[in-house]
């Protein structure tokens, strides 16, 4: 901490802006509330005087603010600032904050309350805090279950270093959102100019050679090892390190359906799909790399495999129930651990390696053939209405080829189709939205904010689309020039609900009468039309022949700077 000369009018708003600037936040993602007037005044002064400060984004929904911070953090991997309005704003944004926790995205979320309710000295905070906005225990109590760390700033003099602490905690493993309640009275209080020290990146932890060498020996002795990963690609350098590790030892890589990002090229011969089932009885070594929940149900234990967990924080504190069956842990920076193991790929049993590589080549060829067959059938089907979802994903893959695009996925029924047929192959090229539905457009906007010229595509179901705050999301896209391609897989039904109803009650009253509740979306208007008031490019597609040209036109519009929405009426 250093003492600086207080500038005229300096108050807690200046302290907060200075702190976010010191921690390296590029943006303040704000869903406006009346308590942020001191911050707005500080930003206005800084803009007038040419002083540095984060860029302020004025967003009209809490899910959009938090979701954009999540998307930006997925790519940048650095904590940003999020400003919400009081406890109601925090509650409105809580689903997205919880999604950031699950995705492992660092951010500092702040909202405010009053502590004097007009009975203290200084400026009157307003009667709304006394009547409507306050909450017992403060918003930091509300935030505790869905954040990594939550507390209140008790003084303007400690506010900057409290922001530093929140950002440091958010950035350290396991990365996630930290929450800081900043009472309005502190924002309005005179500040003496003491600033926070600039934030430095976290140091890395490492597994020792004494820990890594025995694991390398286990791999050397294994005949049928397999790697299972959910989030290796989320770590800086993790994607590349996993490729090098798998190639050095010739080990297949499974990305289960629970994978939250791209971790390994889906085009790679060692990519072994999403099903760990074939290895449950056959594998003699399972390497869980950043894999929070590999087995379902959790009691589904492999019959003979030893299990090595490679993860900086294997026991996720936010996971209520977690079963890993670990025999060994390598705890430390995952990319570094994988690099250490890759260097130890020596004195291999070449005959054993050849056998498992041949088996994987056979599996890979079978998968390639199955994918091609599914796409050929989708292309040759003669339908008067509707498009096979396989064809949608395959066409997107072909149009994005060589464009270095990023796919953000918020489908449920079609998520396996999207992963299998889009076949993303680059780092930071695929992200699956975490937590409850309704965040996808905002997360994609945040990814676009960080990805620059890379095209960003959101694949989304019609049910998920209706959960999203569509109007505020389109407003943000247009206001901040963040063009997306939004492709809606529209089957006019909440199909996952219907599937569960049929699964739990196959011979029930609904099956007998056809009364399926909680599923029908036919009543909705054409979803692309919501974008028309914003001057965006819109297409509705209901035939296979129209699909390719519509997506080409949409991608052209995105390249020219406008969001495009393609509502595809799919067959299932």
């Amino acid at each position: 901490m250093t003492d600086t000369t207080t500038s005229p009018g300096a108050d807690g708003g200046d302290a907060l802006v200075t702190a976010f600037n010191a921690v390296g936040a590029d943006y303040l993602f704000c869903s406006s509330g009346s308590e942020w007037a001191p911050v707005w005044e500080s930003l206005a002064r800084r803009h007038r005087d040419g002083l540095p400060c984060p860029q302020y984004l004025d967003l009209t929904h809490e899910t959009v603010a938090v979701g954009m911070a999540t998307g930006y953090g997925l790519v940048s991997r650095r904590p940003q600032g999020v400003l919400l309005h009081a406890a109601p704003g925090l509650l409105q944004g809580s689903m997205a904050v919880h999604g950031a926790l699950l995705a492992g995205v660092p951010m500092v979320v702040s909202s405010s309350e009053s502590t004097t309710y007009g009975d203290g000295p200084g400026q009157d905070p307003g009667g709304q805090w006394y009547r409507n906005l306050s909450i017992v225990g403060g918003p930091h109590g509300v935030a505790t279950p869905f954040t990594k760390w939550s507390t209140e700033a008790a003084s303007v003099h400690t506010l900057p270093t409290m922001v530093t602490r929140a950002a440091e905690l958010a950035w350290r493993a396991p990365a996630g959102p930290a929450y800081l309640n900043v009472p309005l009275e502190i924002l309005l209080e005179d500040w003496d100019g003491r600033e926070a020290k600039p934030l430095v990146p976290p140091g890395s932890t490492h597994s020792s050679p004494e820990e890594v060498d025995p694991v390398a020996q286990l791999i050397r002795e294994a005949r049928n090892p397999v790697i299972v990963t959910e989030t290796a690609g989320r770590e800086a350098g993790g994607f590349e390190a996993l490729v090098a590790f798998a190639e050095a030892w010739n080990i297949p890589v499974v990305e289960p359906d629970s994978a939250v990002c791209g971790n390994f090229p889906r085009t790679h011969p060692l990519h072994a799909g999403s099903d760990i089932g074939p290895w449950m009885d056959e594998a003699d070594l399972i390497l869980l790399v950043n894999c929070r929940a590999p087995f379902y149900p959790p009691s589904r234990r492999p019959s003979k495999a030893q299990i090595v967990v490679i993860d900086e924080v294997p026991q996720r504190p936010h996971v209520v129930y977690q079963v890993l069956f670990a025999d060994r842990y390598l705890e430390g920076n995952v990319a570094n651990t994988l690099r250490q193991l890759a260097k130890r790929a020596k004195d291999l049993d070449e005959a054993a390696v050849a056998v498992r590589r041949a088996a994987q080549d056979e599996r890979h060829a079978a998968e390639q053939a199955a994918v091609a067959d599914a796409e050929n059938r989708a292309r040759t089907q003669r339908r008067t209405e509707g498009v096979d979802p396989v064809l949608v994903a395959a066409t997107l893959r072909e149009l994005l080829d060589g464009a270095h695009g990023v796919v953000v996925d918020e489908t449920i029924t079609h998520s396996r189709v999207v992963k299998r047929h889009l076949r993303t192959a680059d780092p930071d090229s695929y992200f699956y939205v975490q937590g409850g539905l309704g965040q996808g457009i905002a997360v994609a906007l945040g990814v676009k904010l960080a990805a620059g010229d890379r095209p960003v595509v959101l694949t989304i179901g019609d049910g998920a689309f209706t959960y999203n705050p569509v109007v505020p999301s389109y407003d943000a896209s247009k206001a901040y020039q963040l063009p997306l391609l939004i492709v809606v897989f529209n089957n006019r039904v909440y199909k996952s609900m219907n599937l569960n109803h049929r699964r739990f009650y196959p011979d029930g009253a609904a099956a007998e009468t056809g009364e399926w509740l909680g599923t029908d979306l036919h009543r909705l208007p054409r979803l692309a039309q919501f974008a028309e008031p914003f001057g965006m490019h819109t297409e509705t597609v209901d035939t296979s022949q129209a699909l390719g040209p519509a997506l080409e036109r949409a991608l052209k519009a995105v390249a020219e700077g406008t969001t495009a929405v393609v509502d595809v009426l799919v067959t299932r």
Side-chain angles (χ1 to χ4, degrees):
M1 182 184 296
T2 57
D3 290 330
T4 60
T5 302
T6 305
S7 59
D11 56 19
D14 291 295
L16 193 63
V17 172
T18 297
F20 275 120
N21 196 63
V23 301
D26 301 316
Y27 294 93
L28 294 178
F29 298 87
C30 182
S31 179
S32 300
S34 55
E35 69 266 42
W36 298 122
V39 169
W40 298 331
E41 180 64 19
S42 174
L43 290 169
R45 283 197 295 265
R46 287 171 176 271
H47 295 157
R48 179 196 65 192
D49 298 338
L51 298 175
C53 57
Q55 185 174 339
Y56 176 86
L57 300 185
D58 198 359
L59 305 164
T60 54
H61 196 282
E62 291 84 356
T63 298
V64 177
V66 181
M68 286 185 66
T70 299
Y72 189 85
L74 285 169
V75 179
S76 73
R77 299 178 173 87
R78 291 184 289 104
Q80 305 299 309
V82 179
L83 307 181
L84 305 178
H85 176 42
L90 177 63
L91 289 168
Q92 180 70 50
S94 61
M95 179 184 69
V97 178
H98 181 247
L101 180 70
L102 297 179
V105 174
M107 63 180 67
V108 178
V109 181
S110 288
S111 67
S112 186
E113 64 176 357
S114 174
T115 54
T116 64
Y117 308 105
D119 280 342
Q123 298 190 57
D124 180 6
Q128 72 271 24
W129 302 96
Y130 180 49
R131 300 185 185 100
N132 298 320
L133 296 180
S134 65
I135 190 165
V136 174
H140 49 292
V142 172
T144 298
F146 52 83
T147 58
K148 182 180 175 182
W149 179 80
S150 177
T151 195
E152 177 182 83
S155 165
V156 70
H157 307 298
T158 59
L159 176 58
T161 47
M162 288 291 279
V163 173
T164 300
R165 175 162 168 74
E168 288 178 339
L169 284 165
W171 207 355
R172 266 65 182 175
Y179 173 78
L180 188 61
N181 171 24
V182 186
L184 177 54
E185 286 83 352
I186 287 178
L187 290 171
L188 291 168
E189 189 176 345
D190 289 342
W191 175 49
D192 61 11
R194 287 180 288 180
E195 297 181 351
K197 185 180 184 298
L199 196 67
V200 296
S204 60
T205 57
H206 302 276
S207 295
S208 68
E210 291 78 14
E211 295 168 316
V212 175
D213 287 338
V215 172
Q217 187 60 28
L218 284 177
I219 302 172
R220 194 172 289 112
E221 294 170 355
R223 291 293 181 266
N224 195 19
V226 64
I227 298 164
V228 186
T229 184
E230 290 178 326
T231 62
R234 186 182 61 195
E235 313 302 328
F239 188 100
E240 298 87 344
L242 182 58
V243 172
F245 169 58
E247 289 179 343
W249 292 92
N250 270 289
I251 304 175
V253 177
V254 173
E255 285 185 287
D257 291 332
S258 53
V260 306
C261 60
N263 303 289
F264 195 81
R266 288 189 168 264
T267 54
H268 197 289
L270 287 172
H271 196 285
S274 62
D275 186 9
I276 194 177
W279 278 272
M280 292 299 286
D281 292 325
E282 299 301 324
D284 54 0
L285 180 64
I286 297 177
L287 299 146
L288 302 180
V289 181
N290 265 28
C291 198
R292 60 191 166 170
F295 312 116
Y296 190 84
S299 59
R300 186 191 183 200
R301 185 169 191 153
S303 61
K304 61 183 179 182
Q306 292 192 75
I307 297 175
V308 175
V309 174
I310 301 172
D311 199 321
E312 192 160 8
V313 186
Q315 299 296 339
R316 300 285 198 277
H318 62 268
V319 176
V320 175
Y321 183 61
Q322 185 186 27
V323 181
L324 299 174
F325 297 121
D327 295 295
R328 288 180 180 268
Y329 287 106
L330 288 181
E331 298 183 41
N333 180 271
V334 168
N336 179 71
T337 301
L338 294 175
R339 293 187 196 106
Q340 288 191 60
L341 287 168
K343 292 177 182 177
R344 287 163 168 79
K346 301 172 183 177
D347 303 321
L348 307 185
D349 184 334
E350 297 298 340
V353 170
V355 169
R356 71 171 176 254
R357 185 57 190 258
Q360 174 56 26
D361 286 345
E362 185 177 340
R363 283 189 293 265
H364 182 71
E367 171 64 6
Q368 294 280 89
V371 166
D373 180 63
E375 293 179 4
N376 287 334
R377 282 188 280 109
R379 288 189 176 94
T380 56
Q381 286 174 343
R382 293 288 178 254
R383 296 182 181 272
T384 58
E385 184 176 313
V387 183
D388 192 310
V390 168
L391 183 59
V392 181
T395 304
L396 273 173
R397 183 191 70 236
E398 293 163 358
L399 292 174
L400 290 172
D401 184 37
H404 199 42
V406 187
V407 176
V408 178
D409 187 21
E410 197 178 27
T411 60
I412 297 295
T413 303
H414 301 106
S415 61
R416 293 181 182 179
V417 169
V418 169
K419 291 175 184 176
R420 190 183 192 201
H421 293 276
L422 271 173
R423 298 175 67 75
T424 53
D426 298 320
D428 293 337
S429 61
Y430 174 85
F431 300 103
Y432 191 77
V433 177
Q434 296 297 289
L437 293 175
Q439 308 171 63
I441 305 177
V443 172
L445 288 170
V447 168
K448 179 61 181 176
L449 188 64
D453 293 335
R454 297 176 67 183
V456 176
V457 179
L458 171 67
T459 53
I460 188 170
D462 52 326
F465 183 89
T466 60
Y467 284 138
N468 273 259
V470 173
V471 170
S473 297
Y474 287 167
D475 172 63
S477 172
K478 188 165 186 177
Y480 297 108
Q481 300 178 1
L482 299 170
L484 305 174
L485 171 57
I486 301 173
V487 180
V488 184
F489 286 66
N490 189 346
N491 58 9
R492 284 82 72 203
V493 66
Y494 282 124
K495 194 166 185 179
S496 63
M497 284 75 151
N498 186 253
L499 291 174
N500 265 1
H501 193 158
R502 292 176 183 273
R503 180 162 65 95
F504 297 146
Y505 303 97
D507 301 314
E512 180 183 345
T513 64
E515 184 183 7
W516 301 106
L517 301 178
T519 64
D520 185 25
L521 292 177
H522 281 87
R523 65 184 183 272
L524 294 177
R526 291 296 174 93
L527 300 183
Q529 292 177 344
F530 290 100
E532 290 176 1
F534 293 89
M536 295 172 175
H537 182 92
T538 65
E539 303 261 4
T540 299
V541 177
D542 61 1
T543 66
S544 299
Q545 293 75 21
L547 176 66
L551 289 175
E552 285 190 60
R553 290 190 294 270
L555 280 169
K556 183 174 184 293
V558 171
E560 292 171 351
T562 185
T563 284
V565 184
V566 182
D567 182 15
V568 185
L569 306 185
V570 294
T571 56
R572 51 190 167 91

